[in-house]
Each structure stands twice: as C-alpha cells, then as structure tokens.
Amino acid sequence: MPVSVRSGTKAWQRRDRAAQLAIWFGWLVATAIVVLSWEVISDRTMWMFVEDAHTQAADLLGRMVPPRWSYMDRLWRPLWDTLNIATLGTLIAIVFGVPLAFLAARNTTPSVYFVRPVALLVIVASRSINSLIWALLLVSIIGPGVLAGIFAIALRSVGFIGKLLYEALEEIDEGAVEAVQATGATRPQVIGYAMVPQIAPAFAGISVFRWDINIRESTVLGLVGAGGIGLQLEASISQLAWREASVIFLVILVTVLASEWLSARIRHAII
C-alpha cells in the first residue's frame, strides 16, 4: 500500500512496488531503444568523413568568402517570385481553408458523422505532406515553374489554416450565439454576427503566421524545380559557385528576418 507523508504543506505519497517496477521497466526499454538506435546509426555512418568534417567545413567556408555581390542583379526576379509564391499560396489556402474549418468544427458542421470526418481527413492529409514533397509531385504533373510552387504552398497551408481555425470556432463563447439565435436569426446570420466576430482576430493571426512560414518554405521549393530563389541556389551549388551561393544564403536570411519582423508587428497590432 502506498504511504503518505506530510511535509510542510505538501503530501508526499510513496509509490507502491508495481508503480516503481513499471517506471524502471520504462527506463530499461528507453535505454535499450537508444542503444539499438545508436548501433544502427554507427553501422550506417562513414566515420572517416565525420572525422574530417571540420576541415571540409572550413574549406567550404573559405570558398564562400567573400560573397560575389555583383550576382545580386540576377536575384531580384527570383526573390520576387519567392514572395509571390508565398503570398498567392497563402491566399489560395485561405480561400479553401476557411470553409474547410467551418465544415470540421462541431458547432458549425452540417453533419458530425459524415461531413466532419471528411473535412478532418482533408486537413490531416494536407498537414501530413511537406510542401517540398507537394512541389515534387506537382512539378512532375504540371511541369516546373512558379505555378507548381504556388499550389504546393497552398496544399500544405490548407490543413494548417483549417485546423487552427476550426479549433478557434469550437472555443467561441456560446452565449453570444444563443443571444443571436434568440432574436430569430437564421443560421447564416448566426455565423456572421455571433461566430465570425469572435474568430476574426484568430483568423488574422493565423493567416499572417502562415504567410511567414510560407516565406521560409518557398525559398527552397526551387530545389525541386518549383521556381523562386531556390532555383538559383540549386544552380549555384550544382556549378560549385560557392561565392554566388553565399549571396543567396544571405538574401534568404534577410528575407526571412524581414518577414518575421513584419508578421510579428502585424500580429501584435491585431491581437
């Protein structure tokens, strides 16, 4: 039997033998998994390359310095394409993600047993596939270019927006909904006057936050042919033009920092 000991204002309860054995067994299993994983990693790792990694990193860094700033003239258009991919992809995701959220939320879905599971399946499917994989699939379907990048960002973002928005819908104050219903309002009027105003700040914050994430993700879509500045990065790396690649890295860093600052200011102003 567990024994309680009162110390000060707290009551400490000693675990019984079964609980203690379960804890020790859990630690044993966790340790075995770590050891087994390390053995697998060790067998598949070429340690001679790992030992020489610092030398290779120093050599690569030496090739990237100083950056070739004259290459900036060729980056403005790919950078603009990257911003367009992120922005248009986010807008498309909002168009489809908002109705999807209303179909997935328990208090707004037309059918809890049929429509809601389908909507949740779409949300999970969208969120479970990385935008780079979406881009790879779309490039093979509609060809390389910015259009594939836009659709890849949109497909990835639909699930993100839909999930967070339907959770916000389910957490609204039902008192306001009941008050509007008491006036004899129709279902669309209840949604428009009682639900939408409550989720409007969350919707704005989610949209801006997703746009910020999409700026980061769109910078690498060009590695699989989906347009943007990643396409220039892939070309520079393939040609071993490391001084040009360093310029691209710095441009991506500045772009991400600027989008982070802008999105934080917008969210702060909204919330």
Side-chain angles (χ1 to χ4, degrees):
M1 295 293 292
V3 178
S4 296
V5 179
R6 183 168 295 277
S7 174
T9 59
K10 294 183 178 179
W12 301 92
Q13 187 174 20
R14 182 179 298 172
R15 300 187 185 96
D16 57 19
R17 183 179 298 274
Q20 192 66 40
L21 289 176
I23 292 173
W24 283 110
F25 180 74
W27 278 106
L28 179 62
V29 171
T31 304
I33 292 175
V34 170
V35 172
L36 180 61
S37 300
W38 176 254
E39 289 183 356
V40 173
I41 293 173
S42 299
D43 292 340
R44 299 180 181 181
T45 300
M46 302 182 68
W47 291 105
M48 65 179 66
F49 288 98
V50 176
E51 293 173 357
D52 193 41
H54 64 284
T55 304
Q56 298 298 329
D59 178 66
L60 182 60
L61 184 61
R63 297 182 186 185
M64 298 177 69
V65 178
R68 184 170 295 158
W69 296 110
S70 60
Y71 190 64
M72 277 294 302
D73 294 336
R74 299 179 58 181
L75 297 181
W76 295 116
R77 179 58 185 272
L79 180 60
W80 178 247
D81 289 342
T82 297
L83 296 176
N84 285 331
I85 289 173
T87 304
L88 294 177
T90 304
L91 291 176
I92 294 174
I94 290 173
V95 170
F96 290 95
V98 172
L100 192 63
F102 279 90
L103 294 176
R106 289 184 179 275
N107 51 347
T108 57
T109 183
S111 173
V112 177
Y113 300 104
F114 177 71
V115 177
R116 185 173 188 269
V118 173
L120 291 177
L121 177 62
V122 174
I123 289 174
V124 172
S126 170
R127 295 175 61 247
S128 61
I129 302 178
N130 190 272
S131 58
L132 200 62
I133 300 177
W134 279 121
L136 188 63
L137 294 174
L138 290 168
V139 165
S140 63
I141 295 173
I142 63 178
V146 174
L147 186 62
I150 293 173
F151 287 153
I153 291 294
L155 288 172
R156 170 67 170 172
S157 303
V158 164
F160 180 91
I161 294 174
K163 175 178 173 56
L164 295 184
L165 197 57
Y166 96 73
E167 290 178 349
L169 276 168
E170 292 182 342
E171 295 173 358
I172 63 173
D173 181 13
E174 292 295 336
V177 176
E178 294 174 358
V180 175
Q181 288 175 339
T183 64
T186 61
R187 184 61 174 170
Q189 290 174 331
V190 171
I191 293 176
Y193 290 101
M195 295 183 176
V196 172
Q198 294 191 61
I199 66 169
F203 166 73
I206 292 168
S207 301
V208 174
F209 183 50
R210 187 63 221 186
W211 175 78
D212 179 32
I213 295 174
N214 288 340
I215 291 289
R216 306 163 190 261
E217 294 191 352
S218 61
T219 57
V220 297
L221 295 184
L223 296 176
V224 295
I229 199 169
L231 195 62
Q232 299 295 121
L233 178 61
E234 193 276 336
S236 298
I237 294 176
S238 299
Q239 297 171 9
L240 302 181
W242 298 112
R243 293 176 61 190
E244 297 175 357
S246 65
V247 176
I248 298 174
F249 287 140
L250 291 174
V251 169
I252 291 175
L253 176 62
V254 172
T255 303
V256 170
L257 290 176
S259 68
E260 174 71 22
W261 176 83
L262 181 60
S263 64
R265 294 295 298 269
I266 295 174
R267 292 199 303 271
H268 179 73
I270 293 172
I271 301 175

